[in-house]
């Protein structure tokens, strides 16, 4: 016993030195691990060392070994562990590392630090790895635990770890200066101005204005077809047309909206809206061809099976893509396939999700096809699974263009820029473009909400793999999360503090408008401009010389404009 105590003290000392927050991380004994209301035993089945910890006689999905951890409010942590199923049930199991925060008022908040879905014994040792942020509230205590499999499903765990991420919390290791540097590098190019003047022109009287008229980077919103097509809601349409260059139908292109009952189809609301958006210069994404999450599959579709189901799905995809051909830039093919497998399960074909992409790509090879899922950027529960899915689809050569990441943040959840970047870095390993497809944050205080939107948007905009960002609505009377996520309030479409902040980012801080006096800047000077469409104006003695106005587009390469001023 004395030897065991000494060994335990040595392990604890190593943990303190290394920054490890867990004790007995390698589970060579049961010390420090709690197994409440179920049984834990040492087993020779292990990932490392000599033993693992077997959980059995479980009565709840949340039954799994747990340990109290000492964490700091507002800080960010990495968590990992290995887990192995020893029993297969009728379907795959979810495996999770969960954190339970108990606050000083007795309330609890549960955060999934890492997860894997649809796992079986054949997967062997599964590595759970992710990050979690400690809520910025008065914290009483916290514990981390393994959970997920259905009751009666035994599992072994081993080699767990919790460490604080470098930089702590609240924005951490990526300073504002480095973020701005990334934005400058990714989203801007040089505009070289070359000016020649006649001898009679006083350079003190000459100003050159370089003003951006349109942004190239896609910023968009989800749009409700009923609201958009309502002739009495001009304010709704006007806000969209004025502030966004991309849009996505929120529900109108989903199969249940088009065909709630078999044979009763209505594409017109979606098509009317798409034509309206495009007539105002907006590009449009298609969302979505099918949705594999059970609760979003129509009742009549659930009655089908076998070849009949395959035929009906194929006909729906072909018809829908035919009716929208030439109108859409993207399609989300099989929405949230990480979290739902209705079609694969019903058909008994795990590769049917790949077949859906093949059908869509053949129906319209010109449109860009996407995966689209949640808990991959706003949370890290499914980030690693998403990377693996993206790699699988890419290697299968089924027409996948990019990866859609939804980005729905929780109530009063302050987006952590470092965590967002880390999750985007993980997904970017697939080597595919990333689009943020459904961004929203939640806070009743509109100023706090403004901060949340700014932090999330800035982290996403500064990432090299992100090609576009769409928020999932803006109006409090139409937003699926209500006023606490809105940019605009009421029937008069009042732009609140969050809306003003987002507009300032999109149309002021991330747009270019510079005026240079020739006597100060010289005949040759450079403007560092955001990508997009520009006008160059020559102002002489306070008058805009319209005959010298120039228009041009700025992309990833430098652009040169030459101006000859002879008055």
């Amino acid at each position: 016993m004395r030897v065991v105590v000494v060994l335990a003290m040595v392990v604890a000392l190593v943990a303190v030195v290394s920054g490890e927050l867990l004790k007995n991380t390698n589970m060579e004994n049961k010390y420090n691990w709690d197994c409440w209301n179920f049984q834990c035993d040492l087993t020779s089945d292990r990932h490392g060392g000599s033993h693992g910890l077997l959980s059995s006689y479980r009565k709840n999905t949340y039954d799994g070994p747990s340990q109290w951890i000492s964490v700091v409010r507002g800080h960010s942590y990495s968590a990992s562990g290995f887990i192995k199923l020893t029993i297969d049930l009728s379907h795959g199991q979810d495996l999770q590392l969960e954190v339970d925060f108990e606050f000083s008022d007795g309330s609890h908040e549960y955060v999934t630090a890492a997860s894997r879905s649809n796992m079986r014994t054949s997967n062997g040792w599964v590595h759970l790895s992710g990050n979690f942020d400690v809520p910025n509230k008065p914290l009483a205590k916290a514990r981390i635990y393994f959970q997920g499999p259905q009751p009666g499903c035994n599992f072994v765990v081993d080699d767990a770890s919790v460490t604080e991420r470098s930089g702590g919390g609240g924005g951490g290791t990526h300073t504002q200066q480095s973020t701005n540097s990334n934005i400058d590098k990714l989203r801007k190019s040089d505009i070289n101005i070359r000016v020649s003047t006649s001898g009679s022109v006083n350079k003190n009287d000459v100003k050159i204005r370089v003003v951006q008229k349109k942004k190239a980077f896609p910023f968009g919103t989800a749009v409700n077809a009923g609201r958009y097509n309502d002739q009495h809601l001009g304010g709704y349409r006007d806000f969209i047309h004025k502030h966004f260059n991309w849009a996505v139908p929120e529900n109108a292109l989903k199969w249940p909206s088009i065909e709630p009952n078999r044979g009763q189809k209505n594409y017109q609301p979606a098509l009317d809206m798409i034509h309206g958006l495009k007539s105002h210069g907006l590009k449009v994404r298609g969302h979505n061809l099918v949705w594999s999450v059970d609760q979003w599959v129509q009742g009549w579709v659930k009655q089908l099976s076998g070849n009949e189901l395959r035929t009906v799905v194929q006909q729906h995809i072909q018809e829908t893509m035919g009716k929208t051909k030439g109108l859409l830039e993207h399609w989300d093919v099989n929405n949230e396939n990480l979290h739902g497998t209705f079609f694969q399960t019903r058909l008994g074909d795990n590769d049917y999700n790949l077949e859906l992409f093949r059908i869509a790509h053949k129906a319209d090879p010109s449109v860009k096809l996407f995966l689209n899922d949640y808990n991959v950027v706003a949370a890290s529960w499914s980030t690693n699974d998403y990377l693996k899915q993206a790699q699988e689809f890419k290697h299968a050569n089924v027409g996948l263009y990019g990866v859609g990441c939804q980005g729905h943040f929780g109530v009063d959840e302050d987006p952590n820029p470092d965590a967002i970047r880390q999750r985007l870095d993980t997904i970017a390993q697939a080597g595919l473009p990333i689009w943020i497809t459904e961004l929203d944050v939640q806070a009743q205080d509109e100023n706090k909400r403004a901060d949340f939107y700014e932090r999330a948007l800035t982290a996403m905009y500064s990432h090299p793999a992100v090609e576009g960002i769409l928020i999932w609505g803006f109006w409090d009377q139409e937003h699926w999360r209500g006023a606490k996520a809105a940019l605009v309030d009421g029937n008069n479409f009042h732009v609140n503090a969050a809306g003003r902040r987002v507009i300032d980012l999109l149309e002021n801080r991330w747009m270019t408008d510079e005026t240079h006096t020739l006597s100060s800047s010289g005949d040759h000077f450079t403007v560092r401009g955001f990508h997009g469409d520009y006008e160059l104006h020559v102002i002489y003695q306070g008058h805009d010389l319209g005959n010298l106005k120039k228009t041009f587009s700025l992309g990833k390469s430098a652009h040169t404009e030459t101006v000859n001023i002879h008055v």
Side-chain angles (χ1 to χ4, degrees), residues 209-220:
R209 183 187 180 197
V210 179
V211 55
Q212 187 176 4
K213 306 304 288 185
K214 290 183 180 179
K215 62 179 73 67
F217 188 88
F219 284 112

Side-chain angles (χ1 to χ4, degrees), residues 110-153:
Y110 299 90
V111 172
T112 303
S115 73
R116 297 290 298 275
S117 301
N118 201 30
M119 294 291 104
R120 296 182 176 274
T121 57
S122 58
N123 294 110
W125 283 103
V126 176
H127 188 206
L128 299 179
S129 179
N131 305 310
F132 65 90
D133 300 325
V134 182
N136 200 5
K137 305 184 206 177
L139 186 66
K141 54 186 177 180
R143 69 183 179 98
I144 190 165
Y145 57 100
F146 291 87
Q147 69 158 19
Q150 292 298 306
C153 188

Side-chain angles (χ1 to χ4, degrees), residues 115 127 149 157 164 190 210 252 337 350 355 402 412 422 479 550:
S115 73
H127 188 206
V157 297
E164 184 168 2
D190 286 342
V210 179
N337 186 212
N350 286 333
E355 181 63 22
D412 286 324
Q422 188 272 335
H479 204 292
K550 292 178 175 286

Side-chain angles (χ1 to χ4, degrees), residues 524-558:
H524 294 180
F525 62 92
T526 297
V527 173
R528 188 75 178 157
F530 286 96
H531 301 155
D533 294 343
Y534 280 81
E535 290 180 356
L536 183 151
H537 294 263
V538 177
I539 302 165
Y540 182 66
Q541 295 181 344
H543 299 286
D544 191 331
L545 304 182
N547 61 313
L548 295 182
K549 184 179 83 169
K550 292 178 175 286
T551 60
F552 61 92
S553 294
L554 180 67
K556 293 182 179 181
S557 300

Side-chain angles (χ1 to χ4, degrees), residues 288 304 406:
N288 49 63
L304 308 179
Q406 293 186 9

Side-chain angles (χ1 to χ4, degrees), residues 27 72 94 97 149 173 185 215 234 239 298 317 473 542:
M27 302 178 189
V72 180
D94 294 330
L97 266 176
T173 59
K185 179 181 178 180
K215 62 179 73 67
F239 189 87
Q298 309 98 297
I317 292 174

Side-chain angles (χ1 to χ4, degrees), residues 354 371 388-400 428-432:
L354 297 171
L371 298 167
K388 291 181 175 168
Q389 186 182 63
Q391 291 170 327
E392 176 192 2
F393 275 69
K394 180 181 178 181
H395 294 152
N397 195 28
V398 292
L400 174 67
Q429 292 175 35
L432 297 166

Side-chain angles (χ1 to χ4, degrees), residues 145-164:
Y145 57 100
F146 291 87
Q147 69 158 19
Q150 292 298 306
C153 188
N154 299 346
F155 60 85
V156 184
V157 297
D158 201 0
D159 293 337
S161 174
V162 176
T163 58
E164 184 168 2

